[in-house]
Amino acid sequence: MIKRVRKAIFPVAGLGTRLLPATKSIPKEMITVVDRPLIQYAVDEAREAGVEQLIFVTGRGKAALVDYFDVAFELEATMSSKGKNLDVLAPSRASFGEIVTVRQQQPLGLGHAVWCAREIVGDEPFAVLLPDELMLGKPNCLKQMVEAYDRVGGNVVAALEVPESETHQYGVIDPGASDGRLTEIRGMVEKPAPGTAPSNIMLPGRYILQPEVMRELDRQETGAGGEIQLTDAMARLIGRQPFNAFLFDGRRHDCGSAAGFVIANLAMALEREDIAPSVRDYLQSSLSRSDGEGDRFA
Ligand code: G1P
């Protein structure tokens, strides 16, 4: 029997050093893409995919993330008394018990962050979403994966092709036979040295995993960069459990970098009916004036 995916882990303890100074006093997951913080997109994705419990693995300085999903009593009371519509706040309100937080007390890696949630996950399959990877698709990425998982079970991880020159930045799979969007995984390696990657298919940060991966993480073995890597724990399960890569149909924006954030903002703004016309006008006139150098006086 294939158990439903009801829980999702959001590793949000990272320091966000690639986005300093912005992230000096706010979590990178609270930086906005158009008018929503990045975390909202990942939470929406999980909710739409049927996830009922959101597990935030947080750390020091990340309280704003938890406050964001709470009821803002003073704000709501003030808005109501002035007759303002509260609908705009709806996605940021968690229902009772929907969000559970656990602290990752030391930055020991993604595998360690996931392991910190082991008691909350218990003995059932779970999803992991890395919020700085903004995945846009219809249906959304996790939902596409859940649909595939509900058919085949086991472990299903999102996968995307990248240029070979980028594989050293990511977890990369050794692909086997393919069936539609699913590809059997024969092995995987975290941040392979340039020229040594088994393929150009990387893991963009969406996973559906069986609870046994927590037992692998119990070993607390370090890998690439001296960190406890989720990729290594998953790799050890290959052969013992089914492992499939799901070739995601959609677009990915890496919001862990400033350029990625700007591009994600433009992409999302151009999809928003209310602001797309003015953003498009600005871009068009700016690009045609600037010979590609940008509009210095805007
Ligand atoms: C993490 C994972 C890696 C994955 C990447 C996606 O790496 O370890 O396997 O490909 O996220 O963004 P990080 O970016 O945290 O170094």
Side-chain angles (χ1 to χ4, degrees):
M1 203 192 79
I2 297 171
K3 281 195 195 167
R4 259 190 68 211
V5 180
R6 299 187 313 124
K7 303 187 177 192
I9 300 176
F10 298 77
V12 290
L15 296 174
T17 49
R18 284 196 293 161
L19 292 168
L20 282 168
T23 48
K24 188 176 169 190
S25 64
I26 55 165
K28 71 173 166 184
E29 298 81 6
M30 288 304 293
I31 299 179
T32 50
V33 174
V34 186
D35 51 11
R36 293 175 169 218
L38 196 49
I39 187 71
Q40 182 78 68
Y41 293 89
V43 162
D44 289 351
E45 184 181 336
R47 283 170 166 163
E48 278 168 37
V51 168
E52 291 161 9
Q53 189 177 63
L54 314 169
I55 306 165
F56 286 5
V57 182
T58 71
R60 287 172 60 77
K62 295 286 184 152
L65 275 166
V66 184
D67 283 344
Y68 173 77
F69 285 100
D70 200 358
V71 173
F73 179 77
E74 301 87 336
L75 175 66
E76 294 189 15
T78 309
M79 285 174 73
S80 294
S81 71
K82 294 187 173 163
K84 292 200 172 147
N85 190 341
L86 296 182
D87 288 356
V88 68
L89 294 173
S92 66
R93 291 184 79 157
S95 56
F96 288 117
E98 186 185 11
I99 292 187
V100 177
T101 66
V102 58
R103 302 275 277 213
Q104 183 187 22
Q105 290 165 318
Q106 284 175 286
L108 299 179
L110 175 60
H112 180 257
V114 169
W115 178 79
C116 287
R118 66 199 179 286
E119 296 294 340
I120 304 163
V121 162
D123 187 27
E124 58 179 293
F126 60 96
V128 180
L129 295 95
L130 308 189
D132 53 4
E133 295 277 359
L134 180 57
M135 307 290 271
L136 303 175
K138 282 195 176 109
N140 75 45
C141 182
L142 189 66
K143 194 165 171 133
Q144 290 180 31
M145 292 167 64
V146 165
E147 282 165 11
Y149 165 82
D150 286 342
R151 281 186 283 116
V152 300
N155 301 270
V156 177
V157 298
L160 277 180
E161 288 190 53
V162 289
E164 250 172 64
S165 57
E166 293 177 17
T167 51
H168 66 282
Q169 303 170 35
Y170 301 113
V172 178
I173 68 159
D174 178 9
S178 289
D179 178 10
R181 294 204 159 268
L182 285 174
T183 298
E184 180 203 342
I185 300 181
R186 292 192 305 205
M188 51 179 112
V189 47
E190 180 67 19
K191 301 194 175 68
T196 67
S199 75
N200 67 336
I201 305 174
M202 58 77 95
L203 305 174
R206 297 290 183 277
Y207 314 80
I208 294 174
L209 300 173
Q210 296 299 320
E212 287 76 16
V213 76
M214 295 294 189
R215 302 293 73 76
E216 296 302 322
L217 290 168
D218 283 341
R219 293 158 60 153
Q220 308 274 294
E221 271 174 28
T222 53
E227 295 188 342
I228 299 169
Q229 297 290 354
L230 181 60
T231 305
D232 295 343
M234 295 190 296
R236 285 198 293 268
L237 281 178
I238 295 170
R240 287 195 270 151
Q241 293 193 342
F243 253 94
N244 281 292
F246 180 84
L247 211 58
F248 164 57
D249 179 19
R251 280 177 297 136
R252 155 186 183 249
H253 295 289
D254 172 11
C255 293
S257 72
F261 244 115
V262 173
I263 294 167
N265 267 284
L266 290 175
M268 293 303 284
L270 290 172
E271 280 179 19
R272 277 268 299 259
E273 260 173 40
D274 53 340
I275 55 174
S278 48
V279 174
R280 192 176 302 111
D281 281 355
Y282 171 74
L283 285 176
Q284 269 162 355
S285 61
S286 162
L287 289 172
S288 61
R289 246 190 331 224
S290 68
D291 291 323
E293 281 189 26
D295 183 349
R296 288 182 201 147
F297 307 104

